[in-house]
Amino acid sequence: MPVNSPNINILWSRLIIEELLRNGVEYFCLASGSRSAPLAVALSQTPQAKSFIHYDERGLGFHAVGYAAAARKPAALITTSGTAVANLFPALIEAGKKKLPLIVLTADRPPELRHTGANQTIDQVKMFGDTVRFYFDMPCPTEDIPPEVVLTTIDQAVFRARGELPGPVHINCMFREPLAPVETRRSFRQYLKPLKSWLAAGDAYTRYRRGETHLPEPVLEEILTALGGIQNGVIAVGKLSSSEDENAVLALSQQLNWPVFPDISSGLRLGHPEENIIPHFDQILLSEKFIEQLPVDGVLQVGGRMTSKRWTDLIKKKQPRHHIMVLNHPLRNDPAHTVSLRIQSGIASFCSAIIPGL
């Protein structure tokens, strides 16, 4: 993906289209409109994307449903703002009932034009209610928001569309003027610097994998390869649901011989004599000198979310090459937007699966 874009609206739209492609979404259904122009321009600049254009949103929605049913792949829908969005509702209900994955990208007015009587403006926030499996109100493109936010949002949306209960997902994209590819002569190289590895590769930013009952051999190999590429790793442990999970994590930490940062909710902070456990890591992270000297190039995070803000600040600063997260549910748990490999699995079954390969 070229790093040069005429303005921030087009740049974010290109990130959205590119990340959808990297997640295997290659068919885009587009109904024309001015507010969705940035997405349409980005689509036109992405030759590998297949597109279908139709003037009627209701018909377009059912076309996407037909594609998802026949191809057994998710289709992406792009519409402008206002009543154009509402016309998708019948098709989304159909997709939800038939468990067909659809990625719905609707353009919307910026916050200052909501509830003001502005032309082609209706309340699009959670318009489809529980019909969709996932909803996100994408903010207006700005360099104040890291580009990783765009990518991880798309990754989560596609994962939820293909989840245990496949169906439609909705991302409501707000855009300010200019909507056309007006040249601002702004260089985005520095802004995109955190995406250096992503730009050089062809994978999605966050690769989601499932393994609730067992880890398939290719997924197991992917995990072991990532772990093998880490020289200075840390195990971060969030909330664990059972003593079986606790014992499994302890066994894994002994096998890897990595320090363990146990969250207050993990159950591992007290009563465990293992040398690898750092029970008061949160206090240690108060030291800037310690953080600077801490060599972390990889993280294995298991269990629920980490309540420590200093932990989040640490991984934001270190930007580990590998950040592997293991959770037993499909929800995103990535406030720092650093997760590179996401495994949906029971904690104990995950540990028992990978320990023999280490």
Side-chain angles (χ1 to χ4, degrees):
M1 172 187 154
V3 297
N4 295 324
S5 289
N7 56 57
I8 190 69
N9 284 341
I10 303 299
L11 178 64
W12 271 37
S13 296
R14 295 201 68 177
L15 291 173
I16 289 170
I17 301 299
E18 174 68 22
E19 193 69 349
L20 284 171
L21 283 168
R22 294 191 184 199
N23 275 283
V25 182
E26 59 184 14
Y27 193 68
F28 295 80
C29 303
L30 172 68
S32 60
S34 63
R35 188 60 57 171
S36 58
L39 290 167
V41 170
L43 183 60
S44 71
Q45 295 175 343
T46 312
Q48 49 284 41
K50 301 173 184 176
S51 59
F52 175 83
I53 301 174
H54 189 49
Y55 61 88
D56 176 69
E57 289 84 8
R58 182 183 174 97
L60 188 77
F62 280 104
H63 174 82
V65 169
Y67 171 86
R72 299 183 180 180
K73 295 179 180 179
L77 277 157
I78 299 175
T79 74
T80 192
S81 61
T83 56
V85 180
N87 282 311
L88 295 178
F89 213 158
L92 266 59
I93 293 172
E94 189 80 10
K97 292 294 184 182
K98 291 187 174 179
K99 300 178 180 61
L100 297 172
L102 293 181
I103 316 297
V104 180
L105 304 172
T106 58
D108 199 0
R109 300 294 175 120
E112 62 269 21
L113 292 180
R114 290 180 172 182
H115 304 286
T116 63
N119 188 35
Q120 274 295 299
T121 303
I122 62 174
D123 188 356
Q124 298 175 201
V125 176
K126 295 191 175 181
M127 172 181 280
F128 305 119
D130 293 337
T131 300
V132 295
R133 311 297 193 240
F134 171 79
Y135 171 82
F136 188 76
D137 207 21
M138 186 77 83
C140 295
T142 170
E143 290 183 64
D144 292 331
I145 298 176
E148 304 98 299
V149 175
V150 180
L151 302 181
T152 64
T153 299
I154 295 299
D155 296 334
Q156 168 74 181
V158 176
F159 181 64
R160 299 289 290 279
R162 290 171 167 158
E164 295 94 337
L165 189 66
V169 297
H170 179 202
I171 300 178
N172 193 47
C173 304
M174 291 184 277
F175 290 109
R176 291 191 174 97
E177 300 280 354
L179 303 174
V182 176
E183 191 67 58
T184 58
R185 302 189 184 281
R186 171 71 178 156
S187 172
F188 297 108
R189 291 189 178 276
Q190 189 64 30
Y191 175 67
L192 293 173
K193 194 173 181 180
L195 301 185
K196 182 179 179 181
S197 297
W198 178 84
L199 288 166
D203 295 329
Y205 187 86
T206 300
R207 305 183 308 280
Y208 282 82
R209 301 289 185 265
R210 289 189 183 86
E212 185 62 41
T213 56
H214 72 282
L215 294 173
E217 194 63 33
V219 176
L220 183 59
E221 290 179 5
E222 184 177 10
I223 297 167
L224 292 172
T225 299
L227 290 173
I230 299 173
Q231 293 184 343
N232 299 288
V234 170
I235 300 175
V237 186
K239 183 178 180 180
L240 299 176
S241 58
S242 67
S243 58
E244 181 186 10
D245 285 352
E246 293 176 13
N247 293 331
V249 171
L250 290 173
L252 177 60
S253 71
Q254 291 169 3
Q255 189 71 25
L256 286 170
N257 197 28
W258 291 358
V260 176
F261 287 4
D263 189 75
I264 192 171
S265 63
S266 67
L268 294 181
R269 289 185 64 182
L270 301 174
H272 296 281
E274 284 78 2
E275 292 182 354
N276 288 340
I277 294 181
I278 316 296
H280 303 295
F281 75 92
D282 191 59
Q283 281 67 42
I284 297 174
L285 293 181
L286 283 168
S287 169
E288 288 292 334
K289 183 177 180 181
F290 174 81
I291 292 173
E292 288 177 6
Q293 295 178 351
L294 181 65
V296 176
D297 64 342
V299 170
L300 174 61
Q301 186 171 339
V302 299
R305 69 182 182 90
M306 300 287 285
T307 58
S308 169
K309 183 178 184 297
R310 297 183 194 118
W311 163 256
T312 302
D313 292 341
L314 174 69
I315 57 174
K316 279 183 179 179
K317 185 171 184 177
K318 293 295 184 179
Q319 289 288 315
R321 181 168 170 242
H322 297 286
H323 185 170
I324 305 166
M325 179 175 287
V326 185
L327 290 169
N328 62 358
H329 59 70
L331 302 179
R332 179 167 52 164
N333 185 3
D334 184 18
H337 303 282
T338 56
V339 174
S340 58
L341 182 59
R342 171 71 156 77
I343 309 298
Q344 183 177 333
S345 171
I347 305 304
S349 60
F350 169 84
C351 295
S352 63
I354 67 169
I355 286 175
L358 295 173

